[in-house]
Amino acid sequence: MPEQAVEEEEEEELVQGQQGEEETQAESAPARRRAARGGRRATATATSARKKSRRRQRHAVDEDPEPSREERSHYHHHHEEQEGDDEERLSIPEILPVLPLKDVVVYPFAMQPLAVGQERSIRLIDDIMRGNRLVVLVAQKSAEIEQAGPNDIFKIGTVSRVARMIRMPDGTIHIIVQGLERVTIGEFVQEKPYLKARVTLRPDIQENDTETEAIKRNVVSYFQRMVALVQNVPEGAAAANLNLEEPRQVVYLIATFVQMDLQLRQKLLELDSVRAKLKELSSFLAHELEIFELGRKIQSRAQEEMNKMQREYLLREQLKAIQRELGEESEEQATINELRAKIEEARMPEEALKEANRELARLEKLPTVSPEYSIIRTYLELLVSLPWSKSTGQTIDVQKARQVLDEDHYDLEKIKERILEYLAVRRLKEERMAERARREEEAAEAAAEGEADKRRPTQPLHSGEANRQLNREPILCFVGPPGVGKTSLGQSIARALGRKFARMSLGGIRDEAEIRGHRRTYIGAMPGRIIQTLRRVETNDPVIMLDEVDKVGADWRGDPSSALLEVLDPEQNYNFRDNYLDLPFDLSKVFFIATANSLEPIPAPLRDRMEILELSGYTEEQKMHIARNYLLPKQIAANGLRPEELIVDDEVIRHIIRGYTREAGVRNLEREIGTLCRKAARQIAEGRQAPIHITTEELTEYLGRWRFFEEAAERIDRPGIATGLSWTPVGGEIIFVEAAVMPSKESQLILTGQLGDVMKESAMAALSYVRSNAAALGLPPNVFENQAVHIHVPAGAIPKDGPSAGVTMATVLVSLASGRKVRSDVAMTGEITLRGRVMPIGGVKEKVLAAYRSGIHTVILPRKNEQDLLEDLPRELREQMEFVFVDDIRQVLDVALEGGLPAPRPGSAEGEGDQERSQDQTGPQPTAEAVVRAT
């Protein structure tokens, strides 16, 4: 190769190499290629030198700035000993600069490219380039040291000559150094600005015996085999080794090309005996060669498997082509093709599509008799049947939705308002999102016209989050007694939205897999109910009603309520993972509606994720409208009648409501109306002339005797009985609290009727208040002393609990002690304290409706519940009933007892003081004649 071409090639490779290392670094592949070329040039140079009678110049200061061809080759630092006096030994100065290297060992005969980046190293190179260009290259003990000192480097290095230097634009220097001979580093004479030390030559000890030659040939053989296995070793390196005669040349050339760790490289340099170097290198090459050959076998085996798969694929494709030409197709292949077509049509997300194609590829390789064949096929059939991108939601029309809700349900104004608010918000979101998308598209088109070569995203970066916000559906929970229309309200919502409706009953489920599904590793595994429901409705935006969410159980199989947390959380359900599906499915478009009879059994985290809407129950007037406008037409059509064939007066419906049903909802009312329709249908079928007109006098013939009566007035016939109000999951109820007293050796309180702990404590508080304020209440000071007081709450088979019976129990005890009866047309509720204060309670609407259904039209309530009554109770019911709002138990007694509260006993200063304080705090106490009417 001409000298100029060699220099240009080396310069080009240096410019393209690594830049700006903080310490001197060695390059990898380019270095080996240049070293290989150097090795070949070294061989040629050595032969030429021997032909010219071993002429060699001593390495003094070179005045020529451009190194000659002889200088750029690999110098023979030490000629073979057998040539004796003809050799000229290398002469170097006693003190030389020392350049530490990171993870690099430079050997004699090696031509190594290096990058110099540190300031002190650059200054060192600049100084030697103005002199003899000689420098000692030695490896650092640790590459993590930035400024290596005398104790941070090895003691044996290589004196080298800088053959070429190139300054890079970033301020670093790239050099090519030529290793000359090993040296021992002695005393350091300078540390700043760079290291200088006394050095002595350390020539290798060469053995010219048969053993050394054998080891050399073995090393060369190993290296040639490695070159055939390793791609990053230059092809000419093996040929260069064959042309080398000196064993130490073989050692240094091979060590330059083979990848070794720093310790082994330094060890090869420090060994004095060439035979020892060859042994060390032979052991390393044998170990590496074994690893490479084993890797080659593994790669060959993998390649054979790949070739086998490719061959099978080609044969399979040929078989398919033959079958197509013959017009034949196997049943298994038809199934595969059908699934492949469905996968393409399903418009799955990227992750789901990738999984479907992977499973389909597995299915193609399995025989049909394999148990896994049916498992994979079932899984793929589920994937292609899910509505990944199929929606049915129509354009939102708020007025039409209002009309649909009014057609299906009477009253329920709060529920309807909430649904209409949601629809209005979603419509605005869609309109604003469409408008913003249009503006962004127009702006993008304008920008594209102005700057045709400017890159821009294909869609706004916030589009995913914006779509998620748009698709976020509210999680509603309808809470109320049975029969108030929770489920039918969900159907109306779906109709108003133009979506499909699906119902899931959660009552009694105890297995978490019912929600999340089973893993496919189990035999008979199935997806959870959520995924099954979406598969059944074939759309990703249905209205799903989770019925009876308060009746979900839990046992060792898991807690379904906890699994519902992910389903009902808008921040998580866009990435819902079913255990069987094992892929994310977007539930954010699903409108979930939960129903419950009571909030108490629902766990707090689950309750927090839902918006609670209470349906307390219906008044008689509301039931009247519901029966006339919804239930009667429905039952007439269900029993095969025409509307004109059955006439039912409004008074008949009122009698059914009062005498045959007593409930918060209208479920039993619908059953009774259905009974009327069935009997009328039978009469028409038997030949009776239509229409059939049912009157109140004929009602008993159709439905039998009345089942419910206004019995409150009949039950209170003596002192010690009062009517209270209680709340139950199925609506409000009236309770009768009875008390009796009997002689006893010591005072005691007996409680019966399956009372809970809270109700028992209310009874104790009421008794303590009556005894401690006996004089102020007009009772004997020793009231109930040496007597046993028995309080009973029928019916005894039904558990009862809650604090709202406190005022009723206090009224019963005062009635029993004073001998005055409690008014039969008054019901009361409220919690009592030991000071006689009446505290607010819950469930006001349900309790008032229970009193109204029982014929009681005067209700005593805590004053702090006045706003609840005005907000929740319909106006027509407030106008038909009277409400007394109280703060103190004395006000309750003054209204509830016949004749009012007994006058305080004379001489009772404590009672008079209490009475004055009560008057100061609450003002004049209302009497039975001064009842507060709430309108």
Side-chain angles (χ1 to χ4, degrees):
M1 179 182 295
E3 181 179 355
Q4 183 177 0
V6 172
E7 293 177 357
E8 291 177 354
E9 181 179 359
E10 291 172 351
E11 181 176 352
E12 180 181 358
E13 289 175 347
L14 279 172
V15 171
Q16 295 176 353
Q18 60 181 7
Q19 298 184 5
E21 294 289 334
E22 282 301 317
E23 188 56 89
T24 305
Q25 298 287 342
E27 295 182 349
S28 57
R32 298 190 189 97
R33 289 196 295 269
R34 285 190 293 272
R37 289 193 296 270
R40 292 194 293 272
R41 289 195 300 271
T43 304
T45 303
T47 305
S48 176
R50 284 194 292 270
K51 290 180 180 180
K52 295 179 181 179
S53 303
R54 313 296 182 182
R55 288 186 299 106
R56 192 182 195 120
Q57 297 178 351
R58 294 184 179 273
H59 292 276
V61 177
D62 192 352
E63 301 296 338
D64 186 5
E66 289 293 328
S68 65
R69 181 177 180 85
E70 294 291 327
E71 291 170 340
R72 286 187 297 102
S73 18
H74 284 147
Y75 286 96
H76 290 285
H77 313 165
H78 188 288
H79 289 289
E80 300 175 359
E81 291 183 359
Q82 60 266 31
E83 298 184 5
D85 295 337
D86 294 336
E87 281 300 313
E88 294 180 348
R89 294 184 175 275
L90 175 67
S91 175
I92 63 172
E94 181 182 0
I95 298 175
L96 283 176
V98 178
L99 180 62
L101 305 179
K102 288 184 178 180
D103 292 329
V104 177
V105 176
V106 177
Y107 296 110
F109 301 103
M111 205 159 192
Q112 186 83 26
L114 300 173
V116 181
Q118 285 191 358
E119 183 179 353
R120 69 170 187 171
S121 301
I122 294 175
R123 182 170 179 180
L124 184 152
I125 298 299
D126 289 339
D127 290 348
I128 67 172
M129 290 301 292
R130 290 190 292 267
N132 58 10
R133 301 190 184 185
L134 296 179
V135 63
V136 177
L137 302 178
V138 61
Q140 294 182 192
K141 295 179 181 179
S142 174
E144 297 178 357
I145 301 174
E146 294 299 328
Q147 298 286 339
N151 297 327
D152 301 325
I153 59 178
F154 293 101
K155 296 303 180 184
I156 295 180
T158 304
V159 60
S160 304
R161 176 182 176 84
V162 178
R164 176 167 289 278
M165 180 187 75
I166 299 176
R167 296 187 183 276
M168 306 303 293
D170 59 355
T172 61
I173 295 177
H174 283 198
I175 60 175
I176 297 177
V177 295
Q178 184 175 0
L180 302 179
E181 185 60 274
R182 296 191 314 152
V183 293
T184 300
I185 301 174
E187 178 186 359
F188 282 85
V189 298
Q190 175 182 311
E191 295 187 12
K192 298 293 176 112
Y194 50 81
L195 301 178
K196 275 189 176 182
R198 301 182 185 275
V199 296
T200 56
L201 287 175
R202 189 166 182 168
D204 294 313
I205 300 174
Q206 299 194 72
E207 297 87 355
N208 295 323
D209 54 7
T210 307
E211 182 181 356
T212 303
E213 182 65 23
I215 299 175
K216 186 199 80 168
R217 294 183 182 182
N218 194 30
V219 168
V220 172
S221 175
Y222 282 158
F223 183 67
Q224 288 177 336
R225 290 167 59 188
M226 182 175 292
V227 169
L229 294 174
V230 181
Q231 299 295 329
N232 57 4
V233 177
E235 297 178 357
N241 273 282
L242 293 175
N243 297 327
L244 296 177
E245 298 179 0
E246 292 187 6
R248 71 170 188 156
Q249 290 181 347
V250 173
V251 170
Y252 291 141
L253 181 60
I254 293 178
T256 301
F257 288 110
V258 177
Q259 293 183 355
M260 294 182 288
D261 58 23
L262 179 64
Q263 299 299 327
L264 182 56
R265 284 183 175 275
Q266 185 65 26
K267 183 178 180 181
L268 285 176
L269 182 65
E270 292 180 355
L271 289 174
D272 295 330
S273 171
V274 174
R275 182 191 300 168
K277 296 177 187 287
L278 286 170
K279 287 182 179 180
E280 191 70 29
L281 187 58
S282 176
S283 175
F284 173 77
L285 291 177
H287 177 71
E288 290 293 310
L289 188 60
E290 183 179 357
I291 295 176
F292 283 131
E293 288 180 344
L294 180 59
R296 184 68 174 269
K297 289 180 181 178
I298 295 174
Q299 185 178 2
S300 176
R301 194 179 305 119
Q303 187 67 31
E304 289 177 0
E305 291 292 333
M306 187 178 300
N307 293 337
K308 180 181 178 182
M309 292 173 58
Q310 293 177 350
R311 184 169 60 254
E312 291 178 354
Y313 174 75
L314 292 175
L315 291 175
R316 196 176 294 111
E317 291 298 320
Q318 292 176 1
L319 180 60
K320 292 178 183 177
I322 295 173
Q323 288 178 343
R324 282 195 299 269
E325 291 294 331
L326 296 176
E328 299 177 357
E329 190 175 30
S330 63
E331 182 179 352
E332 295 81 5
Q333 190 60 40
T335 302
I336 297 296
N337 294 337
E338 181 182 0
L339 288 174
R340 183 176 287 109
K342 289 183 178 180
I343 289 174
E344 295 176 356
E345 296 172 359
R347 296 170 61 190
M348 303 178 184
E350 183 179 355
E351 184 176 353
L353 180 61
K354 183 178 179 181
E355 180 68 14
N357 289 328
R358 189 179 72 86
E359 292 294 330
L360 184 63
R362 290 182 59 202
L363 187 67
E364 285 186 287
K365 302 173 187 176
L366 291 175
T368 56
V369 295
S370 172
E372 198 171 358
Y373 182 90
S374 60
I375 296 175
I376 297 177
R377 179 176 174 179
T378 304
Y379 178 70
L380 288 174
E381 289 175 348
L382 172 67
L383 286 183
V384 299
S385 63
L386 287 176
W388 297 97
S389 56
K390 186 186 298 183
S391 303
T392 58
Q394 303 175 358
T395 304
I396 296 176
D397 188 343
V398 180
Q399 295 297 331
K400 181 182 177 182
R402 177 73 192 199
Q403 182 181 353
V404 170
L405 293 174
D406 288 339
E407 288 176 357
D408 293 349
H409 289 83
Y410 176 77
D411 196 53
L412 301 180
E413 291 301 325
K414 286 187 177 181
I415 309 296
K416 293 179 181 178
E417 287 179 5
R418 179 64 184 90
I419 301 303
L420 295 176
E421 289 169 1
Y422 157 71
L423 294 178
V425 169
R426 184 170 179 86
R427 178 175 177 176
L428 285 178
K429 280 184 178 180
E430 291 179 351
E431 292 177 353
R432 305 290 164 79
M433 284 285 293
E435 183 180 354
R436 184 172 64 180
R438 181 177 55 78
R439 288 199 305 266
E440 291 177 351
E441 185 176 355
E442 292 176 355
E445 291 177 357
E449 293 176 359
E451 302 179 13
D453 57 342
K454 183 178 180 181
R455 298 187 61 180
R456 61 183 179 87
T458 57
Q459 59 181 1
L461 297 178
H462 60 272
S463 59
E465 180 64 25
N467 290 334
R468 192 185 309 166
Q469 293 293 334
L470 174 64
N471 294 329
R472 178 177 295 182
E473 304 287 359
I475 312 297
L476 304 182
C477 180
F478 298 153
V479 180
V484 295
K486 298 185 293 295
T487 304
S488 60
L489 187 59
Q491 295 173 343
S492 298
I493 293 173
R495 195 160 73 93
L497 294 174
R499 302 187 186 183
K500 292 187 177 181
F501 177 79
R503 176 179 171 273
M504 287 174 48
S505 179
L506 302 180
I509 68 169
R510 296 178 175 272
D511 192 353
E512 177 194 358
E514 293 281 349
I515 306 298
R516 284 205 179 103
H518 302 82
R519 301 192 181 278
R520 278 188 286 159
T521 53
Y522 299 143
I523 297 176
M526 294 178 61
R529 292 195 181 189
I530 302 293
I531 297 298
Q532 290 185 35
T533 301
L534 292 173
R535 180 185 186 182
R536 186 170 60 253
V537 298
E538 299 179 345
T539 176
N540 62 4
D541 62 343
V543 176
I544 296 182
M545 174 155 285
L546 306 176
D547 238 347
E548 312 295 349
V549 73
D550 59 330
K551 297 176 179 60
V552 176
D555 60 8
W556 56 272
R557 289 169 291 187
D559 184 4
S561 298
S562 300
L564 285 173
L565 295 177
E566 181 183 3
V567 176
L568 299 181
D569 191 346
E571 297 294 336
Q572 302 181 43
N573 62 8
Y574 70 91
N575 195 26
F576 173 72
R577 279 186 178 269
D578 185 90
N579 289 334
Y580 181 84
L581 193 63
D582 198 24
L583 291 170
F585 195 93
D586 188 4
L587 298 181
S588 62
K589 297 181 180 180
V590 180
F591 195 155
F592 287 102
I593 301 176
T595 68
N597 296 128
S598 175
L599 285 176
E600 282 73 15
I602 304 177
L606 182 58
R607 189 166 61 245
D608 180 64
R609 282 164 169 77
M610 300 184 295
E611 182 178 346
I612 308 300
L613 299 177
E614 295 187 0
L615 288 78
S616 301
Y618 300 110
T619 64
E620 182 178 306
E621 193 65 26
Q622 291 172 335
K623 289 182 180 180
M624 179 69 193
H625 283 87
I626 293 172
R628 172 60 64 189
N629 299 325
Y630 303 99
L631 302 182
L632 186 58
K634 177 182 176 182
Q635 288 299 322
I636 287 176
N639 288 279
L641 297 174
R642 298 188 183 95
E644 65 273 8
E645 290 180 337
L646 181 63
I647 300 175
V648 180
D649 297 334
D650 290 349
E651 195 62 28
V652 173
I653 297 177
R654 292 186 188 276
H655 276 63
I656 296 175
I657 295 172
R658 294 173 181 174
Y660 294 91
T661 64
R662 183 167 291 176
E663 58 179 346
V666 293
R667 190 165 291 164
N668 287 326
L669 177 59
E670 184 177 5
R671 292 194 186 100
E672 298 299 332
I673 293 176
T675 301
L676 287 180
C677 295
R678 288 195 303 273
K679 291 185 180 297
R682 176 184 174 184
Q683 291 176 0
I684 293 176
E686 291 176 349
R688 181 175 174 178
Q689 191 68 27
I692 297 177
H693 186 190
I694 300 177
T695 62
T696 55
E697 291 78 11
E698 298 174 343
L699 190 58
T700 54
E701 299 178 6
Y702 288 90
L703 301 181
R705 62 180 179 80
W706 279 35
R707 301 185 184 92
F708 300 97
F709 303 92
E710 297 179 358
E711 58 181 359
E714 301 175 2
R715 292 286 297 268
I716 302 178
D717 56 354
R718 67 188 68 184
I721 302 175
T723 305
L725 299 173
S726 65
W727 179 91
T728 68
V730 296
E733 294 288 344
I734 65 169
I735 58 173
F736 294 98
V737 180
E738 302 173 349
V741 65
M742 61 209 77
S744 177
K745 293 183 179 180
E746 57 183 12
S747 301
Q748 60 177 328
L749 176 63
I750 303 172
L751 301 173
T752 57
Q754 284 208 44
L755 306 184
D757 293 338
V758 179
M759 190 171 282
K760 290 179 181 179
E761 292 174 358
S762 296
M764 296 177 185
L767 180 60
S768 299
Y769 172 78
V770 171
R771 295 190 64 179
S772 61
N773 296 275
L777 296 175
L779 303 177
N782 59 347
V783 63
F784 301 135
E785 185 176 346
N786 295 329
Q787 290 179 324
V789 180
H790 185 174
I791 297 178
H792 177 68
V793 183
I798 302 175
K800 310 168 191 68
D801 202 3
S804 59
V807 296
T808 310
M809 292 184 175
T811 303
V812 167
L813 292 174
V814 174
S815 171
L816 182 64
S818 64
R820 300 189 181 190
K821 293 194 299 182
V822 179
R823 291 172 53 189
S824 59
D825 61 339
V826 174
M828 62 197 74
T829 182
E831 182 180 358
I832 188 175
T833 67
L834 287 176
R835 297 179 299 150
R837 308 296 296 171
V838 179
M839 305 300 292
I841 42 82
V844 174
K845 182 179 179 181
E846 291 87 348
K847 294 176 180 179
V848 171
L849 290 176
Y852 179 79
R853 288 194 300 268
S854 300
I856 299 175
H857 296 280
T858 302
V859 178
I860 301 175
L861 295 170
R863 188 174 301 278
K864 292 183 180 180
N865 288 116
E866 184 174 1
Q867 290 300 321
D868 298 335
L869 192 71
L870 296 177
E871 291 180 4
D872 298 338
L873 208 62
R875 177 180 294 274
E876 62 270 14
L877 188 60
R878 296 201 303 266
E879 293 175 352
Q880 297 178 29
M881 298 185 67
E882 296 176 348
F883 302 95
V884 179
F885 300 101
V886 298
D887 296 298
D888 192 87
I889 189 62
R890 295 191 182 95
Q891 299 173 353
V892 177
L893 297 174
D894 197 44
V895 175
L897 296 179
E898 293 183 354
L901 180 67
R905 295 264 176 169
S908 175
E910 181 181 358
E912 294 174 0
D914 291 343
Q915 189 173 13
E916 290 176 359
R917 285 193 297 271
S918 178
Q919 292 287 346
D920 293 339
Q921 295 173 1
T922 63
Q925 298 182 11
T927 62
E929 291 77 14
V931 176
V932 178
R933 176 184 291 271
T935 61

